[in-house]
Amino acid sequence: DAGVIQSPRHEVTEMGQEVTLRCKPISGHDYLFWYRQTMMRGLELLIYFNNNVPIDDSGMPEDRFSAKMPNASFSTLKIQPSEPRDSAVYFCASSLDRGTYNSPLHFGNGTRLTVT
Amino acid sequence: AQSVAQPEDQVNVAEGNPLTVKCTYSVSGNPYLFWYVQYPNRGLQFLLKYITGDNLVKGSYGFEAEFNKSQTSFHLKKPSALVSDSALYFCAVRATLDTGRRALTFGSGTRLQVQP
């Protein structure tokens, strides 16, 4: 099992550009989560999916952020346009939970985004 | 609402000594509680969880945690610290019954530094 795979590992872009972060969850997992980590705000949940359907997107900071999960093996988080305050490490995590909400999350190694 | 407090930003302990990383929580009803560890430039890794039953939970790498309902605490412990335990530790909580289907809420993290 390769674990949760995120790409790219690092992304440096200029303000105003579109950024797309990618995630491949562990095969068979039914939940997928996007988190953002910063020194100031810690670990924040942005959005999560169950069986490819978005369940809670209340953590998405603005309309500039959007997330999709077109199939069980792929998800994207898009920021358009990007701003310097979006600089953070973005984590994707997946779990096999079946609605119990007590299964461990498996995290990818994150994408470090720097917006200049 | 559900929340987690990790009152110490950093804990310093000498190798071979016992360690404790503190966590208190607030949730409606009964909680699911988790500890995760994060090493530099990596995603979070699951250590242990409390769902129900025995208040003392044993996890990976010799760690354990004690659930105390009256004090709403879930402190992480290890009898003998190793230098390799130095990392960032996160406590997380979710209500067992949540009609809003909220995901885990993470604490702000505690950096554990084990000195040789």
Side-chain angles (χ1 to χ4, degrees), chain A:
Chain A
D1 186 349
V4 175
I5 299 173
Q6 293 186 245
S7 64
R9 284 300 309 272
H10 303 273
E11 178 79 44
V12 180
T13 190
E14 293 183 345
M15 182 173 61
Q17 296 299 305
E18 179 179 294
V19 175
T20 298
L21 311 182
R22 296 173 175 81
C23 175
K24 177 178 169 56
I26 293 173
S27 177
H29 280 192
D30 56 352
Y31 282 78
L32 183 139
F33 305 81
W34 282 100
Y35 284 89
R36 178 172 68 176
Q37 186 177 35
T38 62
M39 289 291 291
M40 291 297 294
R41 302 170 70 99
L43 200 62
E44 302 173 277
L45 175 68
L46 300 177
I47 185 171
Y48 80 93
F49 296 83
N50 174 219
N51 292 325
N52 314 337
V53 176
I55 302 300
D56 183 358
D57 66 353
S58 60
M60 296 286 263
E62 301 170 32
D63 291 345
R64 299 184 295 108
F65 285 69
S66 62
K68 294 182 180 179
M69 192 166 185
N71 57 62
S73 58
F74 184 65
S75 178
T76 59
L77 178 68
K78 186 175 294 186
I79 308 172
Q80 166 63 18
S82 58
E83 297 183 2
R85 59 193 167 121
D86 301 331
S87 298
V89 181
Y90 290 81
F91 287 104
C92 176
S94 70
S95 71
L96 178 59
D97 191 272
R98 301 189 182 98
T100 63
Y101 287 98
N102 62 33
S103 297
L105 271 60
H106 298 259
F107 282 78
N109 285 328
T111 295
R112 183 175 296 276
L113 174 64
T114 303
V115 183
T116 60

Side-chain angles (χ1 to χ4, degrees), chain B:
Chain B
Q2 57 191 30
S3 64
V4 175
Q6 294 182 242
E8 302 155 316
D9 289 338
Q10 181 156 324
V11 170
N12 297 307
V13 64
E15 188 174 32
N17 284 0
L19 70 86
T20 299
V21 182
K22 295 179 180 178
C23 170
T24 59
Y25 67 90
S26 174
V27 72
S28 297
N30 294 318
Y32 294 137
L33 292 158
F34 301 78
W35 277 101
Y36 286 80
V37 60
Q38 185 180 28
Y39 297 101
N41 301 314
R42 302 296 296 273
L44 280 68
Q45 296 176 32
F46 169 74
L47 276 180
L48 52 80
K49 68 178 179 181
Y50 171 83
I51 299 177
T52 187
D54 195 347
N55 289 342
L56 185 63
V57 178
K58 294 188 182 297
S60 306
Y61 313 121
F63 284 94
E64 58 189 27
E66 186 165 11
F67 171 61
N68 187 316
K69 187 171 185 177
S70 62
Q71 297 185 5
T72 61
S73 66
F74 190 57
H75 301 330
L76 181 70
K77 301 182 180 185
K78 188 174 183 181
S80 179
L82 300 173
V83 172
S84 57
D85 293 329
S86 299
L88 191 56
Y89 290 81
F90 291 92
C91 183
V93 70
R94 191 196 184 272
T96 58
L97 296 172
D98 184 340
T99 57
R101 297 186 291 176
R102 280 172 294 186
L104 279 182
T105 296
F106 283 86
S108 56
T110 297
R111 186 164 301 281
L112 174 66
Q113 199 72 38
V114 181
Q115 285 106 16

